[in-house]
Amino acid sequence: MTTAPTDERRRAAGRRDAEATKTAIVRAARYLLARHAHGDITLKAVADRAGVSPPLILKYFGNKDALFARVMNFETDVDALLDAPLDALGRHMVRSVLTGQAERGVDPILRIVFAPLHGDRGDILRADFRTQVSERLAARLTGDDAGLRAELAVGLLLGLGVMYGIARGPHVRAADIDDVVDRYGPALQAQLDPPAP
């Protein structure tokens, strides 16, 4: 004998579905934002890519500007990107960018590359990137020139992300992720570690 789901279980299932739908919408908006100017992207295009209706986007995000404000925010992505001990952070960051691209087709920070496409919104994207990525990384570093070292490390990471995700370098894409982490991680870690006295 089966029993009908309780109201609580139905609500929990509805919350999971809502979160999955929001995630699909954000992913679709990020995809389009990485390929088109902000002004050229319609809610219908986002909805079509996400497999939802435009009114559902409005229900969850309010309007296009609120959706893109969330898409331009790096906070959640950076939580995962920086989630490693400092002495292992270089390898972790490289792995994070590569697995994001290889497994999910997304990059936690690569959308900064497209800031010039977005006019005034690009200025917001750049400001968010500086405070939420570069400055947050610098705050974790010890020793002299933490800000410079953080920006150099992020620059190395973006270069790898561009080669893998945008230029689609066949050798990088064909290489085993562990091999790339072993080769590229130390270069990134060299910027994160304090300079020798």
Side-chain angles (χ1 to χ4, degrees):
M1 176 174 164
T2 60
T3 59
T6 64
D7 287 342
E8 187 174 316
R9 285 200 302 206
R10 272 188 291 229
R11 282 192 296 275
R15 283 191 297 274
R16 281 192 302 275
D17 289 346
E19 286 308 310
T21 300
K22 288 179 192 176
T23 299
I25 292 167
V26 168
R27 185 175 290 138
R30 282 183 178 171
Y31 176 90
L32 293 169
L33 194 64
R35 289 155 180 81
H36 306 282
H38 175 269
D40 295 340
I41 302 169
T42 64
L43 281 181
K44 182 177 181 337
V46 175
D48 288 348
R49 176 131 191 107
V52 300
S53 67
L56 193 58
I57 295 175
L58 296 175
K59 173 184 174 186
Y60 288 135
F61 296 97
N63 58 38
K64 178 181 166 182
D65 289 338
L67 170 61
F68 281 97
R70 177 155 171 196
V71 169
M72 290 180 177
N73 188 300
F74 295 93
E75 286 288 342
T76 302
D77 299 316
V78 173
D79 287 344
L81 184 69
L82 300 181
D83 187 25
L86 193 53
D87 64 348
L89 189 56
R91 292 174 57 83
H92 172 78
M93 291 171 75
V94 170
R95 183 176 304 283
S96 179
V97 165
L98 292 176
T99 56
Q101 281 287 345
E103 295 172 6
R104 297 181 304 280
V106 297
D107 189 306
I109 59 173
L110 196 57
R111 59 192 177 278
I112 188 60
V113 174
F114 302 99
L117 289 176
H118 305 299
D120 292 343
R121 299 252 176 227
D123 294 336
I124 295 167
L125 192 62
R126 281 186 279 273
D128 285 350
F129 186 83
R130 280 191 301 272
T131 60
Q132 297 168 2
V133 180
S134 301
E135 291 174 11
R136 187 164 162 200
L137 175 58
R140 286 201 57 197
L141 303 182
T142 60
D144 294 335
D145 296 327
L148 175 60
R149 289 186 291 120
E151 288 181 1
L152 291 172
V154 170
L156 284 168
L157 198 60
L158 288 171
L160 178 61
V162 166
M163 181 53 71
Y164 190 94
I166 297 172
R168 297 193 173 269
H171 300 285
V172 171
R173 293 179 71 84
D176 182 74
I177 287 177
D178 288 333
D179 185 33
V180 178
V181 169
D182 288 344
R183 292 172 182 238
Y184 209 81
L188 198 62
Q189 191 67 44
Q191 296 305 320
L192 301 175
D193 292 337

mmCIF file of all heavy atoms in Angstrom, residues 80-105:
data_model
loop_
_atom_site.group_PDB
_atom_site.id
_atom_site.type_symbol
_atom_site.label_atom_id
_atom_site.label_comp_id
_atom_site.label_asym_id
_atom_site.label_seq_id
_atom_site.Cartn_x
_atom_site.Cartn_y
_atom_site.Cartn_z
ATOM 1 N N ALA A 80 33.798 28.430 -3.787
ATOM 2 C CA ALA A 80 34.326 27.119 -4.182
ATOM 3 C C ALA A 80 35.744 27.234 -4.730
ATOM 4 O O ALA A 80 36.597 26.393 -4.451
ATOM 5 C CB ALA A 80 33.404 26.476 -5.215
ATOM 6 N N LEU A 81 36.018 28.284 -5.490
ATOM 7 C CA LEU A 81 37.334 28.464 -6.105
ATOM 8 C C LEU A 81 38.437 28.604 -5.061
ATOM 9 O O LEU A 81 39.546 28.131 -5.257
ATOM 10 C CB LEU A 81 37.312 29.700 -7.013
ATOM 11 C CG LEU A 81 38.585 29.984 -7.800
ATOM 12 C CD1 LEU A 81 38.798 28.915 -8.872
ATOM 13 C CD2 LEU A 81 38.515 31.367 -8.423
ATOM 14 N N LEU A 82 38.133 29.242 -3.935
ATOM 15 C CA LEU A 82 39.146 29.493 -2.903
ATOM 16 C C LEU A 82 39.050 28.521 -1.733
ATOM 17 O O LEU A 82 39.704 28.717 -0.711
ATOM 18 C CB LEU A 82 39.020 30.938 -2.393
ATOM 19 C CG LEU A 82 39.198 32.036 -3.443
ATOM 20 C CD1 LEU A 82 39.081 33.402 -2.795
ATOM 21 C CD2 LEU A 82 40.510 31.887 -4.195
ATOM 22 N N ASP A 83 38.279 27.466 -1.884
ATOM 23 C CA ASP A 83 38.040 26.527 -0.788
ATOM 24 C C ASP A 83 39.130 25.459 -0.703
ATOM 25 O O ASP A 83 38.905 24.285 -1.001
ATOM 26 C CB ASP A 83 36.663 25.881 -0.950
ATOM 27 C CG ASP A 83 36.282 25.017 0.240
ATOM 28 O OD1 ASP A 83 36.809 25.261 1.339
ATOM 29 O OD2 ASP A 83 35.469 24.093 0.060
ATOM 30 N N ALA A 84 40.321 25.894 -0.324
ATOM 31 C CA ALA A 84 41.439 24.970 -0.134
ATOM 32 C C ALA A 84 42.452 25.652 0.772
ATOM 33 O O ALA A 84 42.493 26.887 0.848
ATOM 34 C CB ALA A 84 42.078 24.615 -1.469
ATOM 35 N N PRO A 85 43.280 24.867 1.456
ATOM 36 C CA PRO A 85 44.350 25.472 2.256
ATOM 37 C C PRO A 85 45.289 26.269 1.344
ATOM 38 O O PRO A 85 45.481 25.910 0.177
ATOM 39 C CB PRO A 85 45.074 24.270 2.873
ATOM 40 C CG PRO A 85 44.160 23.110 2.707
ATOM 41 C CD PRO A 85 43.263 23.413 1.548
ATOM 42 N N LEU A 86 45.874 27.312 1.868
ATOM 43 C CA LEU A 86 46.697 28.209 1.067
ATOM 44 C C LEU A 86 47.846 27.476 0.378
ATOM 45 O O LEU A 86 48.157 27.771 -0.785
ATOM 46 C CB LEU A 86 47.235 29.350 1.941
ATOM 47 C CG LEU A 86 47.844 30.537 1.215
ATOM 48 C CD1 LEU A 86 46.891 31.104 0.175
ATOM 49 C CD2 LEU A 86 48.245 31.614 2.212
ATOM 50 N N ASP A 87 48.439 26.498 1.024
ATOM 51 C CA ASP A 87 49.579 25.806 0.413
ATOM 52 C C ASP A 87 49.174 24.850 -0.714
ATOM 53 O O ASP A 87 50.022 24.334 -1.440
ATOM 54 C CB ASP A 87 50.402 25.065 1.469
ATOM 55 C CG ASP A 87 49.631 23.947 2.161
ATOM 56 O OD1 ASP A 87 48.395 23.861 2.001
ATOM 57 O OD2 ASP A 87 50.278 23.162 2.879
ATOM 58 N N ALA A 88 47.897 24.614 -0.902
ATOM 59 C CA ALA A 88 47.399 23.760 -1.981
ATOM 60 C C ALA A 88 46.442 24.513 -2.903
ATOM 61 O O ALA A 88 45.802 23.915 -3.779
ATOM 62 C CB ALA A 88 46.689 22.544 -1.395
ATOM 63 N N LEU A 89 46.353 25.811 -2.728
ATOM 64 C CA LEU A 89 45.340 26.591 -3.438
ATOM 65 C C LEU A 89 45.588 26.682 -4.939
ATOM 66 O O LEU A 89 44.648 26.653 -5.730
ATOM 67 C CB LEU A 89 45.231 27.993 -2.819
ATOM 68 C CG LEU A 89 44.092 28.868 -3.283
ATOM 69 C CD1 LEU A 89 42.746 28.172 -3.070
ATOM 70 C CD2 LEU A 89 44.114 30.205 -2.541
ATOM 71 N N GLY A 90 46.848 26.772 -5.364
ATOM 72 C CA GLY A 90 47.133 26.866 -6.798
ATOM 73 C C GLY A 90 46.586 25.686 -7.568
ATOM 74 O O GLY A 90 45.890 25.833 -8.573
ATOM 75 N N ARG A 91 46.888 24.498 -7.087
ATOM 76 C CA ARG A 91 46.401 23.273 -7.752
ATOM 77 C C ARG A 91 44.864 23.212 -7.697
ATOM 78 O O ARG A 91 44.221 22.837 -8.675
ATOM 79 C CB ARG A 91 47.008 22.042 -7.088
ATOM 80 C CG ARG A 91 48.509 21.906 -7.307
ATOM 81 C CD ARG A 91 49.095 20.749 -6.506
ATOM 82 N NE ARG A 91 48.457 19.491 -6.821
ATOM 83 C CZ ARG A 91 48.753 18.712 -7.851
ATOM 84 N NH1 ARG A 91 49.705 19.062 -8.684
ATOM 85 N NH2 ARG A 91 48.104 17.576 -8.059
ATOM 86 N N HIS A 92 44.302 23.589 -6.556
ATOM 87 C CA HIS A 92 42.842 23.556 -6.411
ATOM 88 C C HIS A 92 42.172 24.504 -7.403
ATOM 89 O O HIS A 92 41.169 24.152 -8.035
ATOM 90 C CB HIS A 92 42.457 23.933 -4.976
ATOM 91 C CG HIS A 92 40.992 24.109 -4.788
ATOM 92 N ND1 HIS A 92 40.122 23.041 -4.660
ATOM 93 C CD2 HIS A 92 40.233 25.237 -4.749
ATOM 94 C CE1 HIS A 92 38.888 23.508 -4.543
ATOM 95 N NE2 HIS A 92 38.928 24.830 -4.589
ATOM 96 N N MET A 93 42.708 25.709 -7.557
ATOM 97 C CA MET A 93 42.108 26.688 -8.467
ATOM 98 C C MET A 93 42.179 26.206 -9.917
ATOM 99 O O MET A 93 41.216 26.349 -10.678
ATOM 100 C CB MET A 93 42.794 28.048 -8.297
ATOM 101 C CG MET A 93 42.492 28.701 -6.957
ATOM 102 S SD MET A 93 43.497 30.185 -6.627
ATOM 103 C CE MET A 93 42.708 31.365 -7.715
ATOM 104 N N VAL A 94 43.318 25.617 -10.295
ATOM 105 C CA VAL A 94 43.452 25.085 -11.659
ATOM 106 C C VAL A 94 42.428 23.977 -11.877
ATOM 107 O O VAL A 94 41.701 23.960 -12.874
ATOM 108 C CB VAL A 94 44.891 24.576 -11.910
ATOM 109 C CG1 VAL A 94 44.973 23.808 -13.229
ATOM 110 C CG2 VAL A 94 45.869 25.748 -11.914
ATOM 111 N N ARG A 95 42.338 23.044 -10.930
ATOM 112 C CA ARG A 95 41.377 21.947 -11.057
ATOM 113 C C ARG A 95 39.949 22.483 -11.138
ATOM 114 O O ARG A 95 39.133 22.001 -11.920
ATOM 115 C CB ARG A 95 41.524 20.975 -9.892
ATOM 116 C CG ARG A 95 40.607 19.763 -10.010
ATOM 117 C CD ARG A 95 40.828 18.762 -8.897
ATOM 118 N NE ARG A 95 42.200 18.302 -8.805
ATOM 119 C CZ ARG A 95 42.768 17.421 -9.610
ATOM 120 N NH1 ARG A 95 42.074 16.901 -10.593
ATOM 121 N NH2 ARG A 95 44.025 17.060 -9.442
ATOM 122 N N SER A 96 39.639 23.484 -10.345
ATOM 123 C CA SER A 96 38.289 24.049 -10.318
ATOM 124 C C SER A 96 37.901 24.619 -11.683
ATOM 125 O O SER A 96 36.793 24.375 -12.179
ATOM 126 C CB SER A 96 38.215 25.127 -9.233
ATOM 127 O OG SER A 96 36.943 25.700 -9.193
ATOM 128 N N VAL A 97 38.802 25.360 -12.298
ATOM 129 C CA VAL A 97 38.503 25.948 -13.603
ATOM 130 C C VAL A 97 38.362 24.862 -14.665
ATOM 131 O O VAL A 97 37.428 24.875 -15.464
ATOM 132 C CB VAL A 97 39.584 26.981 -13.994
ATOM 133 C CG1 VAL A 97 39.516 27.330 -15.469
ATOM 134 C CG2 VAL A 97 39.420 28.234 -13.156
ATOM 135 N N LEU A 98 39.266 23.893 -14.661
ATOM 136 C CA LEU A 98 39.216 22.849 -15.685
ATOM 137 C C LEU A 98 38.010 21.932 -15.524
ATOM 138 O O LEU A 98 37.353 21.593 -16.512
ATOM 139 C CB LEU A 98 40.506 22.029 -15.667
ATOM 140 C CG LEU A 98 41.763 22.764 -16.111
ATOM 141 C CD1 LEU A 98 42.982 21.874 -15.954
ATOM 142 C CD2 LEU A 98 41.638 23.288 -17.526
ATOM 143 N N THR A 99 37.718 21.510 -14.301
ATOM 144 C CA THR A 99 36.569 20.615 -14.131
ATOM 145 C C THR A 99 35.261 21.353 -14.376
ATOM 146 O O THR A 99 34.312 20.767 -14.888
ATOM 147 C CB THR A 99 36.551 19.948 -12.737
ATOM 148 O OG1 THR A 99 36.565 20.950 -11.730
ATOM 149 C CG2 THR A 99 37.724 19.006 -12.562
ATOM 150 N N GLY A 100 35.205 22.636 -14.020
ATOM 151 C CA GLY A 100 34.005 23.414 -14.322
ATOM 152 C C GLY A 100 33.724 23.435 -15.809
ATOM 153 O O GLY A 100 32.589 23.244 -16.256
ATOM 154 N N GLN A 101 34.773 23.649 -16.596
ATOM 155 C CA GLN A 101 34.625 23.670 -18.057
ATOM 156 C C GLN A 101 34.327 22.272 -18.607
ATOM 157 O O GLN A 101 33.433 22.094 -19.412
ATOM 158 C CB GLN A 101 35.901 24.200 -18.711
ATOM 159 C CG GLN A 101 36.038 25.687 -18.660
ATOM 160 C CD GLN A 101 35.106 26.388 -19.611
ATOM 161 O OE1 GLN A 101 34.529 25.803 -20.516
ATOM 162 N NE2 GLN A 101 34.919 27.661 -19.391
ATOM 163 N N ALA A 102 35.105 21.292 -18.171
ATOM 164 C CA ALA A 102 34.985 19.944 -18.748
ATOM 165 C C ALA A 102 33.684 19.258 -18.364
ATOM 166 O O ALA A 102 33.060 18.602 -19.197
ATOM 167 C CB ALA A 102 36.176 19.091 -18.303
ATOM 168 N N GLU A 103 33.253 19.409 -17.112
ATOM 169 C CA GLU A 103 32.098 18.657 -16.635
ATOM 170 C C GLU A 103 30.786 19.422 -16.726
ATOM 171 O O GLU A 103 29.737 18.832 -16.898
ATOM 172 C CB GLU A 103 32.337 18.219 -15.189
ATOM 173 C CG GLU A 103 33.488 17.233 -15.055
ATOM 174 C CD GLU A 103 33.857 16.934 -13.620
ATOM 175 O OE1 GLU A 103 33.146 17.409 -12.695
ATOM 176 O OE2 GLU A 103 34.857 16.236 -13.412
ATOM 177 N N ARG A 104 30.861 20.745 -16.569
ATOM 178 C CA ARG A 104 29.612 21.511 -16.535
ATOM 179 C C ARG A 104 29.537 22.580 -17.613
ATOM 180 O O ARG A 104 28.540 23.259 -17.756
ATOM 181 C CB ARG A 104 29.434 22.148 -15.154
ATOM 182 C CG ARG A 104 29.297 21.127 -14.027
ATOM 183 C CD ARG A 104 29.109 21.787 -12.680
ATOM 184 N NE ARG A 104 30.153 22.732 -12.321
ATOM 185 C CZ ARG A 104 31.346 22.402 -11.822
ATOM 186 N NH1 ARG A 104 31.675 21.141 -11.669
ATOM 187 N NH2 ARG A 104 32.223 23.336 -11.502
ATOM 188 N N GLY A 105 30.624 22.764 -18.356
ATOM 189 C CA GLY A 105 30.625 23.775 -19.407
ATOM 190 C C GLY A 105 30.573 25.191 -18.872
ATOM 191 O O GLY A 105 30.211 26.119 -19.589
#
